[in-house]
């Protein structure tokens, strides 16, 4: 990677900006047309409505939300930038180091977006700023182009200093970047309101989530076709993780979270993102993967595949129990049902199944009691969540607004029960150790029930086997 620092920094060599011959020559002789800003189609209109809804909730408040900056990975190397989700929801803009200010007025708010202008030829930053200089990052849209594309007032970020922001409501990530300069403090109130507003998706958001889910389903197929190579050439879990990540970057912005690929004894590890083990030919293979669309809305889907194309009797028994719990949970996703009902329905199936296998030291009723929960040894994680711009969307809402609330049309959520029998768990028989199974689907609550957005992937064991064998055959 090219070093943004001059090779002579701190030595007897002069600074590049002080070399007149260089600065005169590099300032001229460049052609170029204005570069349009290209937000995802419909994003600007959706964001304007989102701002209106937030304005209705906080009519007298000055609101400040920033996109953030790419965090340092090491030394002068940063991670790839991904803007703050609340900022994207309110602007449709994915620019770095940008700030939205909403100033109250009678009947609503005036919105202004502050952006760092790109450094053009003739400016020192053109060659001297690795974040915004066009010599480093390429031709970039200017402020007029952003204003036209987003239909919002846009000003240079330097003018933000002229704004009086003390006392404004802001979110944690914004306060972290602006608190020193502007005296901002994070407001749990704003975090909460944004989470609640983002729970119910509008038509444009739902379309974006369909795109993300459809691309994810295709990604599962791409990964399954690579199973024989991952086994035969010893490429292992890394190869399958890389296959999906490449697919997500090709057909979207990237992955919505770190891809999980767990074979055999790695499958019960809930967040097995290391993916550095082999793909075992006779083991169950847990794949938890999601494409993040260009709009930054993400899918989150899990299937457990038989690497050979056929489950062993023990793997199939575990898969069947998880499937029953999954169906019981999904059946509770409908308008007017309390959010947590899907959780209780799925857990009742899990607890009864474990009891039938002789794995619970207590009765089913005691295990399901608030002070019991012994079955959670084999399912210690949550089994569903809101989904949207974030994988675990709307996480700053209060309990009564999230888990204690009734579902309503427009909510998108996951249902993801599983069973995780670790290889070193002596409470389960040897034939079950090292088996991990999770089923996860993305559901849209509708007026009449729920639509399973990810239903192109089967969930029953026979269907999973047939689907897997078809992909393996395609790879032959």
């Amino acid at each position: 990677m090219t070093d943004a620092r001059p090779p002579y920094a701190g030595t007897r060599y002069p600074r590049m900006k002080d070399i007149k011959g260089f600065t005169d020559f590099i300032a001229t002789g460049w052609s170029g047309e204005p570069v349009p800003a290209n937000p995802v189609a419909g994003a600007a209109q959706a964001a304007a409505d989102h701002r209106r809804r937030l304005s209705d909730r906080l009519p007298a408040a000055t609101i400040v939300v920033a996109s953030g900056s790419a965090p340092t990975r090491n030394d002068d190397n940063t991670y790839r930038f991904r803007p703050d989700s609340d900022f994207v929801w309110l602007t449709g803009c994915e620019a770095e180091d940008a700030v939205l200010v909403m100033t109250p007025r009678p009947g609503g708010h005036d919105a202004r977006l502050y952006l760092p202008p790109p450094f053009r030829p003739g400016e020192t930053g053109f060659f001297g700023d690795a974040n915004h200089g066009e010599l480093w990052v390429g031709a970039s849209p200017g402020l007029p182009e952003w204003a036209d594309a987003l239909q919002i007032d846009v000003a240079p970020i330097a003018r933000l200093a002229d704004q009086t922001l003390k006392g404004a409501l802001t979110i944690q990530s914004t306060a972290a970047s602006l608190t020193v300069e502007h005296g901002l403090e994070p407001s749990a109130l704003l975090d909460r309101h944004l989470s609640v507003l983002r729970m119910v998706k509008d038509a444009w958001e739902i379309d974006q989530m369909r795109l993300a889910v459809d691309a994810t389903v295709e990604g599962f197929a791409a990964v399954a076709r690579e199973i024989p190579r991952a086994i035969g050439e010893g490429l292992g879990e890394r190869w399958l993780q890389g296959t999906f990540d490449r697919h997500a970057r090709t057909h979207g912005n990237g992955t919505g979270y770190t891809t999980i690929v767990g074979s055999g004894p790695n499958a019960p590890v809930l967040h097995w993102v290391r993916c550095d083990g082999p793909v075992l030919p006779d083991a169950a293979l847990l794949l938890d993967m999601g494409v993040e669309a260009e709009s930054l809305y993400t899918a989150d889907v899990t299937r457990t595949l038989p690497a050979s194309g056929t489950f062993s009797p023990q793997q199939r028994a575990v898969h069947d129990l998880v499937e029953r719990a999954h169906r019981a949970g999904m059946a509770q996703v409908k308008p007017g049902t309390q959010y947590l009902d899907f959780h209780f329905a799925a857990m009742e199936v899990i607890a009864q199944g474990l009891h039938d296998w002789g794995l619970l030291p207590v009765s089913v009723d005691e295990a399901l009691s608030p002070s019991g929960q012994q079955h959670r040894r084999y399912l210690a994680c949550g089994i569903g969540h809101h989904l949207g711009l974030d994988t675990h969307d709307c996480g700053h809402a209060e309990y009564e607004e999230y888990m204690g609330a009734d579902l309503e049309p427009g909510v998108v959520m996951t249902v993801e029960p599983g069973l995780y029998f670790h290889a070193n768990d002596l409470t389960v028989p040897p034939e079950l150790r090292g088996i991990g199974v999770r089923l996860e689907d993305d559901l849209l609550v509708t007026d009449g029930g729920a639509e399973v957005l990810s239903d192109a992937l089967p969930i029953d064991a026979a269907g999973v086997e047939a689907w897997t064998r078809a992909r393996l055959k395609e790879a032959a």
Side-chain angles (χ1 to χ4, degrees):
M1 184 177 182
T2 304
D3 193 344
R5 299 167 299 184
Y8 44 75
T11 73
R12 61 187 176 87
Y13 293 100
R15 295 175 298 177
M16 196 75 85
K17 68 178 184 179
D18 296 331
I19 305 174
K20 188 174 186 306
F22 167 79
T23 56
D24 288 349
F25 190 44
I26 203 170
T28 60
W30 302 95
S31 65
E33 296 293 327
V35 176
N38 291 311
V40 173
Q45 294 82 359
D49 186 61
H50 298 163
R51 292 194 299 274
R52 179 194 59 76
R53 290 164 57 194
L54 180 60
S55 178
D56 289 345
R57 277 186 167 249
L58 299 169
T62 298
I63 298 164
V64 182
V65 179
S67 68
S69 302
T72 299
R73 182 182 185 276
N74 61 299
D75 193 36
D76 66 338
N77 182 26
T78 62
Y79 288 99
R80 180 168 173 257
F81 177 67
R82 198 277 194 190
D84 177 84
S85 294
D86 288 322
F87 177 85
V88 173
W89 192 77
L90 290 167
T91 66
C93 178
E94 298 182 20
E96 187 173 2
D97 300 322
V99 179
L100 171 71
V101 178
M102 295 174 59
T103 306
R105 57 167 172 77
H109 280 76
D110 291 322
R112 173 172 287 178
L113 183 60
Y114 292 89
L115 291 170
F119 288 112
R120 313 287 196 194
E123 300 176 276
T124 301
F126 173 69
F127 59 84
D129 189 309
N131 291 324
H132 304 295
E134 289 191 332
L135 192 69
W136 292 98
V137 300
S140 306
L143 273 56
E145 289 74 35
W146 278 114
D148 182 64
L150 297 175
Q151 292 298 293
I152 191 173
D153 184 25
V154 176
I157 191 69
R159 286 177 53 188
L160 183 62
D162 300 333
Q163 282 270 20
T164 301
L165 301 180
K166 190 172 182 179
L169 300 181
T170 189
I171 57 177
Q172 181 66 52
S173 59
T174 296
S177 59
L178 296 178
T179 185
V180 174
E181 185 177 357
H182 295 280
L184 290 173
E185 295 183 1
S187 167
L189 176 65
L190 180 57
D191 280 324
R192 173 184 171 185
H193 279 298
L194 284 166
S195 282
V196 172
L197 287 170
R198 284 170 50 190
M199 280 184 183
V200 177
K201 273 59 179 178
D202 57 38
W204 180 82
E205 292 178 289
I206 291 168
D207 286 344
Q208 294 304 308
M209 301 201 69
R210 290 187 192 280
L211 291 174
V213 171
D214 290 348
T216 298
V217 169
E218 290 301 316
F220 270 81
V223 169
R225 285 191 285 267
E226 292 296 317
I227 291 174
R229 187 174 181 187
I231 295 171
E233 299 182 25
L235 300 172
E237 297 166 343
R238 292 176 192 261
W239 183 258
L240 301 185
Q241 183 186 47
T243 297
F244 186 82
D245 290 0
R246 181 179 67 252
H247 174 88
R249 184 71 180 121
T250 302
H251 299 284
N253 182 61
T255 60
Y257 52 94
T258 306
T259 301
I260 296 171
V261 177
S263 173
N266 295 333
V269 181
L270 295 175
H271 283 179
W272 181 254
V273 298
R274 283 159 47 185
C275 301
D276 58 1
V279 176
L280 303 174
D282 297 321
L285 177 66
L286 190 151
L287 304 171
D288 189 337
M289 310 186 295
V291 171
E292 181 180 78
E294 294 286 359
S295 59
L296 307 188
Y297 287 82
T298 189
D300 182 6
V301 179
T302 307
R303 289 295 186 271
T304 305
L305 310 181
S308 66
T310 304
F311 288 117
S312 71
Q314 294 80 15
Q315 293 162 3
R316 185 164 188 146
V318 176
H319 194 283
D320 286 348
L321 177 52
V322 173
E323 180 199 343
R324 292 199 299 274
H326 190 50
R327 292 185 184 278
M330 290 196 297
Q332 297 301 314
V333 179
K334 53 191 174 184
T337 298
Q338 193 171 74
Y339 172 85
L340 278 177
D341 283 1
F342 85 94
H343 169 91
F344 296 129
M347 285 299 186
E348 184 173 348
V349 174
I350 290 292
Q352 183 64 59
L354 292 172
H355 182 269
D356 292 345
W357 290 351
L359 296 181
L360 288 187
V362 297
S363 68
V364 172
D365 287 343
E366 185 174 345
L368 292 173
S369 69
S371 61
Q373 303 294 302
Q374 286 84 353
H375 59 289
R376 298 297 297 275
R377 176 187 179 103
Y378 312 108
L379 179 50
C381 58
I383 61 167
H385 49 82
H386 280 269
L387 185 67
L389 282 165
D390 294 324
T391 309
H392 299 148
D393 214 31
C394 311
H396 293 285
E398 296 292 331
Y399 178 90
E400 62 271 16
E401 299 161 331
Y402 193 133
M403 294 185 180
D406 287 348
L407 295 175
E408 56 184 300
V411 165
V412 179
M413 59 181 287
T414 73
V415 177
E416 54 172 326
L419 280 171
Y420 310 99
F421 299 126
H422 289 267
N424 62 340
D425 189 342
L426 302 182
T427 68
V428 296
E431 62 270 20
L432 291 181
R433 295 174 196 165
I435 296 177
V437 172
R438 177 159 67 249
L439 285 169
E440 180 177 22
D441 280 295
D442 303 342
L443 284 75
L444 166 67
V445 181
T446 63
D447 290 334
E451 176 188 354
V452 183
L453 301 178
S454 48
D455 67 352
L457 292 173
I459 60 173
D460 62 291
V464 170
E465 288 177 329
W467 183 92
T468 303
R469 285 196 291 265
R471 306 292 87 74
L472 298 178
K473 185 176 179 181
E474 292 169 2

